[in-house]
Amino acid sequence: MLLAASAVSCDSYLEEKVISGVSYDFFETKTGIETAVNGVYTAMRWYVGGERYYCLTEYGVDYVWEGADGGQKDAFNKYSVQMNSGAGLLYEFWENNYKGINRANTALMYLPRVTDMTEAEKTVREGELRFMRAYFYFDLVQHFGPVPLIMEGNVTEIITDFQRAPVADVYEAIIDDLTFACGALPDAARQTQRGRATRWAASHLLAKVYLTRGSAVNDRRGQQPQDMDHALTYARAVIESGRFALEPDYATTFDQTLQKNSSETIFSIEFTTDVQFNGSDGNKMHLYWVPTYENLPGLQRDVAQGRAWKRVRPTPYFQTELFDRLNDARLYKMFKWFYTANKESSIPVWQDRYYYVDENGRTTDDLLYETPPELVGKPKFATGDTAAYFIPRFYGAKDHTNKVLDAARNRQLQLDVARSSYTLIPVDNNTNHFFPGLLKWLDPERPDMNYEPGSRNFTRMRLAETYLIAAEAAGRKGDYETAAAFINTVRHRAAYREGEIKPKEWTTVDGGDASKLTASTAQAMTVAPDDISADFVGFMLDERCREMFGEMNRWEDLVRTETLFDRVKRFNPDAAGNIREYHKLRPIPQQHIDRLSPKPSPDKAQNEGYY
C-alpha cells in the first residue's frame, strides 16, 4: 500500500523520503501519522506531473483549442470514440484520487491510537486528512458523478463489491469533511510547513463546493435552498480574514519567484528545484502552453522562452472578443506575445521583392512589396531583437480549416509580414503550432532547455477566485449589487494602474489615445448591477475565464453551470460535431468495473452514454 513520505521537516517544506519495511504499528506513532499525512499530500502532485489534469479540464471546452501535438486531444477535446471506459488517463485519475482517499482513511483509522501526540496535534492532522479526502472526492464527483464513497480505513480484507453512491451523498460527505476541517485547521495564511492546508483553504474549497452543488438546475446534486448563502458566507470569511490580499499587479500572480510567497495564494502544492523533494515528475505544466517558436527564423529553443509541446492554445475569439483590450490589462499580461532572436545563423535577410501568395499557397507575379535598396541583403534583425510577434488583433485571414475569409485582409496581412523586420503571426491565423504562449506556467528556473520536471508551485486556490465565488453566490441570490462589488475588486486589479505605461499595442493596435498612455482604467473596468444581471451566469463564466484562463478549472465550470454542451457547440469547432449531452460526465474506468464482484448491471456500473 504505501505511503512514501517522511514527517521530517526541512525549513518550510513538507519533505518526503522513502520508508520501506514498516508494519501498520508504525501508524500508531507520531512519526507514522506524520508520514501518512505527507503521503496523502503527495497524491496531489499527480495532477501536474504530466499530461494529465489539463487534458481533463482545458480540452473540450469553449475558449481553448488543441495544439499540434498530444495523444489525448481526440478523446478529451474532440469527444471522439476514444472517450470511453478504456481511456488510460481516466483510470490514472481514478486510481490516484482513490489512492489519496485510501491513505487518508488509513491514517484517520490509526490516528486515535497514537499516544505520543497531543490532542491539539491530532485535531490539526485530522483536519488536513479530511480536507484532502474532500479535495479528492470533489474532483471525482465533478467528473464521474456517482462514485464509490469509502470513508473508513481497511487494511485486513479485500473488498470487491463497491456500490456507487448517489451524487447527493458524495456532496454531503465532502461538506461534512470540509466543515470539520474549517474548525480544526490553523487560522493562518499558511502553516509553518508550507504546503499544508489551513482553515482558509478549507473555507475556500467549501465555498466552491456549495456553489457547485447549488448551481445545478436540471442535474440532481442534492442541492439545498441555503447553498448560495453558505457559499457566500465561507467565501466572505476568507476575504475578510485579513490573511490574504490580491497582488497589486495581475502579472505578479504567476511570476515564478513571487508566487511561492504570494499574498494571494490560499493553497498550493509545493515544488522546488530539489529532485528528491519533487519526485521524478516535478511540475510539467510549463511544457504544454508554448508555441513552436523554435521553428521560426532567428529562433531556437531556450530555457527562458520554454520548451514547446504545443498542446493547448487560446482561441481567436478569446483573444479578439472576450477582453476590453483598451482597459483590461489581463490579456497582454498573461501571454508571451514576443519571442526574442537567439539563433544568428537562421536570421533572414531582406529580399528585394515580395510577391503575393494566393489562397492555395502559390506565389503569384503580383508584386506585394519592394524593399528599399539600402536594406536588400542585410539581416532583418539581430540576436536579442524581436524575431516573432503574435499580433493580438483580428486580421480575418483564415479560419480553423485554413480557408481564407477575406482576400483584402489577407493581402494586408501578407504586406505587413513582408515589410516587417520580424515574423508577424495574427491570432486568427489559426495554426495549432503558432499562438501566444501562456506565461502562467512558464518555468525559467529549469537547469537546461530540455529539462522536463519543473519547480513551479501548483497554485490551486487564490484569492481572486474567492472573490468570484462570492460574487456568483450573491448574484445567484439576486443580489447583483453585492456581486458587482466583489467582481469590481478583481476587475480593478485587472485594470491599468495610474502611472503604469501601457503596451505599445494599446495605441498601435487597439486605437488607444496616446495622451492617456499612463492613465488608470479602473473606472472603465467597473461594472454596475445592471451590466451583469441580464445574463449573469454567462458574465461570470466569461469573467472567470478572463481572470483564470489556463488554471485548470474550465471544464468543471462549464459542467457546474450546465453550459458545457451549448458553449462547446458554439465556440469549439473541433468538438462541436461530436459532443453529446452525456459528455458532462466521464466514463467509469473499465479497469475498476472489471474488478467488481458481484458484477453490477451496466447501468449501475457505468454512466449513461458509455455502455
Side-chain angles (χ1 to χ4, degrees), residues 93-322:
F93 178 32
W94 181 279
E95 180 184 46
N96 178 79
N97 282 31
Y98 273 110
K99 183 184 294 183
I101 290 165
N102 184 49
R103 290 174 175 179
N105 286 340
T106 301
L108 287 167
M109 179 174 67
Y110 282 97
L111 183 60
R113 309 180 197 177
V114 177
T115 58
D116 57 342
M117 292 178 73
T118 67
E119 290 305 311
E121 290 174 325
K122 289 183 182 181
T123 298
V124 171
R125 295 299 178 249
E126 181 177 356
E128 290 180 69
L129 290 164
R130 294 182 68 172
F131 165 82
M132 289 184 285
R133 183 168 66 181
Y135 179 103
F136 292 127
Y137 267 126
F138 185 44
D139 282 351
L140 287 170
V141 76
Q142 288 179 94
H143 285 264
F144 295 104
V147 294
L149 186 59
I150 308 161
M151 303 297 286
E152 295 181 357
N154 169 43
V155 297
T156 60
E157 58 183 321
I158 296 173
I159 299 175
T160 60
D161 181 16
F162 288 107
Q163 305 290 324
R164 290 205 292 161
V167 168
D169 292 355
V170 180
Y171 271 99
E172 283 297 327
I174 292 168
I175 289 169
D176 184 61
D177 271 350
L178 290 175
T179 301
F180 177 87
C182 286
L185 292 173
D187 173 9
R190 57 181 57 89
Q191 293 200 47
T192 303
Q193 288 182 316
R194 277 174 28 191
R196 291 191 183 276
T198 68
R199 173 184 302 178
W200 306 116
S203 297
H204 173 101
L205 186 56
L206 186 51
K208 192 169 185 178
V209 168
Y210 274 121
L211 180 68
T212 302
R213 186 174 77 168
S215 295
V217 175
N218 298 311
D219 291 340
R220 306 315 303 165
R221 302 174 194 159
Q223 51 266 45
Q224 299 296 320
Q226 301 302 311
D227 280 349
M228 293 305 154
D229 294 314
H230 293 317
L232 181 56
T233 295
Y234 282 101
R236 196 192 295 271
V238 177
I239 293 166
E240 296 176 354
S241 68
R243 300 295 188 181
F244 310 95
L246 294 180
E247 292 287 343
D249 189 330
Y250 180 70
T252 63
T253 63
F254 41 88
D255 178 279
Q256 182 165 359
T257 302
L258 297 177
Q259 62 114 222
K260 289 185 180 293
N261 296 289
S262 173
S263 63
E264 189 166 338
T265 300
I266 298 169
F267 181 70
S268 65
I269 290 87
E270 298 281 331
F271 291 89
T272 76
T273 55
D274 183 347
V275 175
Q276 288 186 328
F277 176 85
N278 286 347
S280 59
D281 291 334
N283 181 350
K284 293 185 177 180
M285 282 295 294
H286 64 91
L287 296 165
Y288 308 126
W289 302 84
V290 181
T292 321
Y293 69 92
E294 60 207 61
N295 289 350
L296 295 170
L299 287 164
Q300 62 186 350
R301 182 187 304 171
D302 64 20
V303 173
Q305 300 184 107
R307 182 172 177 181
W309 283 35
K310 58 226 180 254
R311 296 300 196 254
V312 277
R313 57 191 169 115
T315 68
Y317 183 92
F318 172 84
Q319 298 170 78
T320 61
E321 303 293 331
L322 195 60

Side-chain angles (χ1 to χ4, degrees), residues 350-354 367-373 376 415 418-419:
W350 288 103
Q351 304 298 313
D352 57 349
R353 291 180 177 85
Y354 294 87
L367 181 64
L368 189 66
Y369 177 66
E370 188 168 7
T371 305
V376 175
L415 175 60
R419 65 189 179 189

Side-chain angles (χ1 to χ4, degrees), residues 40 84 178 242 257 317 383 404 435 483 502:
V40 185
N84 59 53
L178 290 175
T257 302
Y317 183 92
T383 55
V404 173
F435 45 87
K502 301 176 181 67

Side-chain angles (χ1 to χ4, degrees), residues 444-455:
E445 296 182 3
R446 294 175 297 128
D448 63 66
M449 63 187 179
N450 294 318
Y451 191 73
E452 293 180 20
S455 61

Side-chain angles (χ1 to χ4, degrees), residues 427-559:
V427 298
D428 58 305
N429 189 4
N430 297 320
T431 164
N432 53 15
H433 276 275
F434 301 124
F435 45 87
L438 187 66
L439 292 168
K440 291 182 177 182
W441 295 103
L442 271 187
D443 189 347
E445 296 182 3
R446 294 175 297 128
D448 63 66
M449 63 187 179
N450 294 318
Y451 191 73
E452 293 180 20
S455 61
R456 174 183 283 276
N457 280 4
F458 174 25
T459 301
R460 198 63 185 131
M461 304 174 197
R462 62 183 179 92
L463 188 61
E465 186 186 21
T466 318
Y467 274 104
L468 296 179
I469 290 171
E472 187 172 342
R476 285 178 176 272
K477 286 161 49 68
D479 185 355
Y480 298 114
E481 184 172 350
T482 298
F486 284 124
I487 292 166
N488 285 331
T489 300
V490 175
R491 287 176 67 84
H492 289 166
R493 193 270 297 275
Y496 291 106
R497 302 183 306 279
E498 187 69 32
E500 179 180 7
I501 299 175
K502 301 176 181 67
K504 70 175 185 178
E505 293 85 1
W506 193 80
T507 54
T508 60
V509 174
D510 300 328
D513 183 346
S515 68
K516 299 179 180 178
L517 193 60
T518 60
S520 169
T521 61
Q523 185 58 45
M525 285 288 284
T526 302
V527 296
D530 288 347
D531 298 326
I532 62 177
S533 59
D535 179 15
F536 179 70
V537 172
F539 178 88
M540 290 306 305
L541 282 172
D542 285 347
E543 191 63 29
R544 283 181 65 85
C545 194
R546 284 185 285 261
E547 177 66 28
M548 302 175 65
F549 179 86
E551 296 180 36
M552 298 196 292
N553 290 283
R554 194 60 181 176
W555 189 87
E556 294 163 355
D557 279 343
L558 297 183
V559 170

